[in-house]
Every structure is written in C-alpha cells, then in structure tokens.
Amino acid sequence: MNILISGGSGFLGSAFSEETQKRYQQADRDLHVTWLTRDDSQAHPSNIEMMTYDELSKTENTFDVILNLAGAGIADSRWSDERKEQLLASRIKPTESILAFIARTSTKPKLLVSGSAIGWYGVQGDKPLTESSGFETDFSHQLCEQWEQLALTATDYAVPVAIVRTGVVIHPEGGMVGKLLIPFKMGVGGQLGNSQQIMSWISREDWVGAVIFILEQHLASKGDSDANTTHDNALQTTNDTPAFVYNLTSPNPVSNHTFTKTLGAWLHRPTFFTLPNFLLKLMFGEMSTLLIDGQKVLPQALQDAGYEFQQPTLKQALAGQKL
C-alpha cells in the first residue's frame, strides 16, 4: 500500500508513519510512505520518501491513501488577524494541492483522511457532544469548517473522505503535555480558571491506532457506504461517494482540575498554583478560550465501529511514558 502524508514529519504524522510501518512489517505486508513537504532536504527516516508540493503537481505516482495533517498549531501564538490568516492558509493551501492531484490523477486514492479538530463544535460547556451534534460559531469552528468543507470536495472525484476531529493529544514528546513539562517540573504548574472546564483528550498511541483502524475498516469495506457510517457520522455530500467523521478523543474526558492533579502526580510535583480567567485572557487574548472554555466530546462513532482504546484513562496515557 502507498500512503501520502502531508504534515508527516509532525507530532502526529511521524508517530503514525512509524507505527504503521511496524505493523505492516510484522504482518509481512508491503507499505510505502511518502511525506509531502515544502523542503525535501529536511531530516527524515531512511524508509520514508519525500515529495515536494511542486513534485506532487507533476508526479505520475499513485497513492492508495492520503492522510492530510498539515496545519500550523492553533495554540502556538495569540490570534491576531494576521495569525488567523496564517492558521487558515496553512490548512487550505496543502489541501488544495492534494485536491488538484486527486483531480488530475487517473488512479484515484481509495480514501482521503483529512484532519480537523473538536474545535468544530465551538464552546458548549459540559454538554456531551458526538459526531451528530451541532456547533456554536466561533473562530475555531470557522477554521475547522472551512478546512473540512474543502476536503469534502474530494468526493466530487469519487474519493471517499474521513474527517478526523482531534482532541488534545497526550504524549510527552509534544502537544499540551510537552509544553507543560518545564513549568510542572519546576513546581509552578497549576489549574486554569475555575478548573472545572472539561478537556477532551486522546493519547497519541490511541490517535495513531484509531486512524489505522479507520483506514483498515474502510479499505476492507471496499467503499461500501453503509460499512463506513456509524451512529449518524455520515456527512452530507453532493454525490453518492461516502464521507464520514470521527471524533478522536478518549471516552473519558476530564476536568482541568483532574488533568492538573494527574499530571502533577505523574511528575511527582506539587500543583498549588492557579491562573485566573482574567489573567489568561490578558496573556492570550481570544486564544484563551482554548484554556478557559471546555468541551465534552465523545468518540461515539469509533466505539460503535468497534475500536478498543488501549489507553482510555489519563493515568494510563501517562503511565510508562519516558520523559
């Protein structure tokens, strides 16, 4: 199988590449992974091929699956108007390049898996949200919605689409935990706001496992739309090509209080400090909503499809991880 990954060298793409190659090698199955990049001179594993976006526009190569993960980190800096444009462009431009390739290639991919985030649902407090839930309009929703709707146009070329709405990914090598390690190790980690806001998270191992599960479920079904939809997770398209959405979150979301105490216990550090809402708003501006306002997003479609979480609790996700 040939897989093309945009954002392949990132926090999620690299872990997916490594685990998928390991599984295929153990099963004695052929797998070829290509990372789509703007700089093919960047360091990469020897068993990964690099392809630039310019090369993609000309290549005659074919891919069975495309995994579209490219996009600047939404929590990396304050949301100025310029930053908002960068966040959108970093998602839209790679997706447009992938769609242009899909449009012109004679052998279409069997599946496009395109990234998104649980921010699509907007701020809805502790209301349980599944793939069939509605949304509240805010910047996070608008960003995810434009990205998702563009990816769905792949169905115009008879390519099925799976949208994966990802929660907070837990692993010491990056993401939220990676950013919090230094302050928590120094003993200045603490709760945010009133600490009751819900955090919908997933371990990086389960994120990778879930994406592989989605790929294998779809490819085994040979495009049967009924086999690719569970618990109302089908998305509306303008044609008969199936599209569906999965929440990539743990079935056990936690409050910020629980997250803080669990992380502190794992690191054997105190968690006495609290950053109040007004200070978070002063420090991060509009982006503070990611820290103050919770979301209780549940992986209903994954569970209905039969995926079994390897690390369903936060304690399990942190246990055994190397610092």
Side-chain angles (χ1 to χ4, degrees):
M1 181 166 69
N2 292 331
I3 300 180
L4 176 69
I5 308 175
S6 68
S9 62
F11 175 56
L12 296 177
S14 58
F16 172 85
S17 300
E18 181 179 353
E19 178 64 20
T20 307
Q21 288 180 322
K22 182 175 74 174
R23 293 192 188 190
Y24 270 66
Q25 184 177 20
Q26 291 174 344
D28 196 25
R29 298 167 62 188
D30 291 332
L31 178 69
H32 187 258
V33 177
T34 301
W35 286 354
L36 189 57
T37 179
R38 301 197 181 282
D39 179 15
D40 60 359
S41 66
Q42 69 178 185
H44 60 279
S46 58
N47 57 356
I48 300 289
E49 184 174 327
M50 305 293 276
M51 176 179 288
T52 66
Y53 284 90
D54 182 59
E55 289 171 336
L56 181 67
S57 68
K58 305 170 185 175
T59 187
E60 296 299 323
N61 291 358
T62 61
F63 300 97
D64 299 292
V65 173
I66 299 178
L67 181 56
N68 180 29
L69 302 176
I74 192 171
D76 288 352
S77 62
R78 290 174 68 102
W79 292 348
S80 64
D81 289 343
E82 180 181 2
R83 180 58 178 171
K84 288 181 178 180
E85 291 177 1
Q86 292 172 346
L87 289 171
L88 182 59
S90 69
R91 289 157 173 76
I92 296 300
K93 290 182 179 179
T95 306
E96 288 177 336
S97 295
I98 289 170
L99 289 169
F101 165 76
I102 289 174
R104 72 172 183 81
T105 186
S106 57
T107 303
K108 307 298 184 186
K110 298 180 178 67
L111 181 67
L112 168 64
V113 179
S114 197
S116 186
I118 60 173
W120 184 90
Y121 298 100
V123 176
Q124 300 197 50
D126 59 0
K127 174 183 177 181
L129 302 171
T130 68
E131 289 81 359
S132 60
S133 298
F135 60 87
E136 294 293 331
T137 300
D138 57 15
F139 171 67
S140 293
H141 168 76
Q142 293 170 343
L143 178 67
C144 294
E145 176 68 2
Q146 290 186 64
W147 195 14
E148 290 187 14
Q149 289 302 313
L150 180 59
L152 287 175
T153 62
T155 61
D156 293 342
Y157 307 103
V159 175
V161 176
I163 300 292
V164 289
R165 293 176 183 156
T166 298
V168 176
V169 181
I170 300 297
H171 195 277
E173 290 182 4
M176 176 180 283
V177 173
K179 293 179 180 179
L180 292 176
L181 282 181
I182 292 178
F184 269 73
K185 284 182 177 180
M186 294 175 63
V188 294
Q191 300 175 152
L192 303 177
N194 65 15
S195 78
Q196 297 308 302
Q197 65 272 33
I198 301 298
M199 186 179 82
S200 297
W201 62 276
I202 186 170
S203 72
R204 190 170 70 167
E205 286 79 359
D206 269 317
W207 186 93
V208 169
V211 173
I212 294 174
F213 176 83
I214 291 168
L215 291 182
E216 293 180 342
Q217 286 284 101
H218 173 81
L219 296 179
S221 72
K222 298 181 181 179
D224 177 12
S225 61
D226 290 337
N228 283 309
T229 56
T230 59
H231 195 75
D232 300 325
N233 71 324
L235 295 172
Q236 185 174 0
T237 63
T238 59
N239 50 69
D240 295 331
T241 301
F244 42 102
V245 61
Y246 287 94
N247 292 333
L248 266 55
T249 57
S250 162
N252 298 297
V254 297
S255 67
N256 176 258
H257 172 81
T258 298
F259 171 77
T260 300
K261 295 305 179 183
T262 304
L263 185 59
W266 176 58
L267 293 170
H268 305 291
R269 294 292 187 274
T271 54
F272 300 132
F273 292 90
T274 297
L275 285 176
N277 285 351
F278 81 88
L279 185 57
L280 290 167
K281 291 178 180 179
L282 183 64
M283 293 170 61
F284 301 107
E286 184 182 355
M287 193 187 76
S288 63
T289 185
L290 299 177
L291 307 174
I292 296 172
D293 301 309
Q295 291 177 304
K296 189 175 183 179
V297 181
L298 303 173
Q300 187 69 61
L302 268 180
Q303 292 186 300
D304 285 352
Y307 179 74
E308 296 183 6
F309 282 82
Q310 301 304 303
Q311 298 168 336
T313 70
L314 187 60
K315 184 177 292 187
Q316 290 172 321
L318 292 173
Q321 298 289 357
K322 296 180 180 180
L323 295 175

